[in-house]
């Protein structure tokens, strides 16, 4: 789905939520979200695993890890129908064509 279709979809959802029925749906969905937002947030940064970056970037090897389900069109897609999910991974070269990027 391209970005314009996504925008149109979200505008449609916004129009639905702007009705009386949509307001009650929004309220029902918002209750758990508001409850989660009210939970205390830890300000203790000692539990965050962090290692300062010391090496120059040009001498470094980087990896981006995501649970978003991105893959290249030549790769096998993730199994989105599995009840247990798909815990496999895909690697991508740093110079792939953005047109070949897909998401499951």
């Amino acid at each position: 789905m391209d970005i314009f279709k996504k925008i149109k979809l979200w505008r449609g959802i916004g129009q639905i939520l702007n009705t009386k029925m949509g307001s009650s749906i929004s309220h029902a969905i918002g209750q758990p979200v508001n409850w989660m937002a009210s939970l205390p947030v830890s300000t203790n940064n000692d539990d965050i695993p962090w290692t300062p970056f010391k090496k120059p970037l040009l001498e470094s090897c980087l990896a981006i890890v995501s649970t978003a389900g991105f893959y290249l069109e030549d790769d096998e897609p993730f199994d989105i129908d599995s009840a247990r999910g798909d815990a496999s991974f895909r690697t991508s070269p740093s110079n792939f064509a953005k047109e070949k990027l897909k998401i499951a």
Side-chain angles (χ1 to χ4, degrees):
M1 181 180 297
D2 69 1
I3 189 70
F4 298 109
K5 288 181 183 176
K6 289 179 185 176
I7 290 171
K8 190 173 181 179
L9 171 71
W10 283 111
R11 283 186 180 157
I13 291 171
Q15 289 174 346
I16 291 169
L17 292 177
N18 204 18
T19 64
K20 189 172 183 176
M21 182 182 76
S23 177
S24 62
I25 293 169
S26 178
H27 178 72
I29 292 171
Q31 286 178 337
V33 172
N34 291 338
W35 171 79
M36 288 173 52
S38 70
L39 294 175
V41 177
S42 171
T43 56
N44 179 3
N45 291 333
D46 293 339
D47 58 349
I48 298 173
W50 175 256
T51 303
F53 196 70
K54 296 178 182 174
K55 206 177 200 184
L57 189 58
L58 289 174
E59 297 174 14
S60 303
C61 181
L62 300 177
I64 297 173
V65 179
S66 170
T67 58
F70 290 109
Y71 65 97
L72 295 177
E73 69 181 7
D74 297 334
D75 293 338
E76 180 182 346
F78 289 96
D79 183 2
I80 59 172
D81 297 323
S82 172
R84 299 186 70 180
D86 185 346
S88 62
F89 66 93
R90 310 290 182 271
T91 60
S92 303
S94 59
N95 60 347
F96 66 87
K98 67 179 181 179
E99 296 81 24
K100 292 189 168 221
L101 190 63
K102 305 293 178 189
I103 187 168

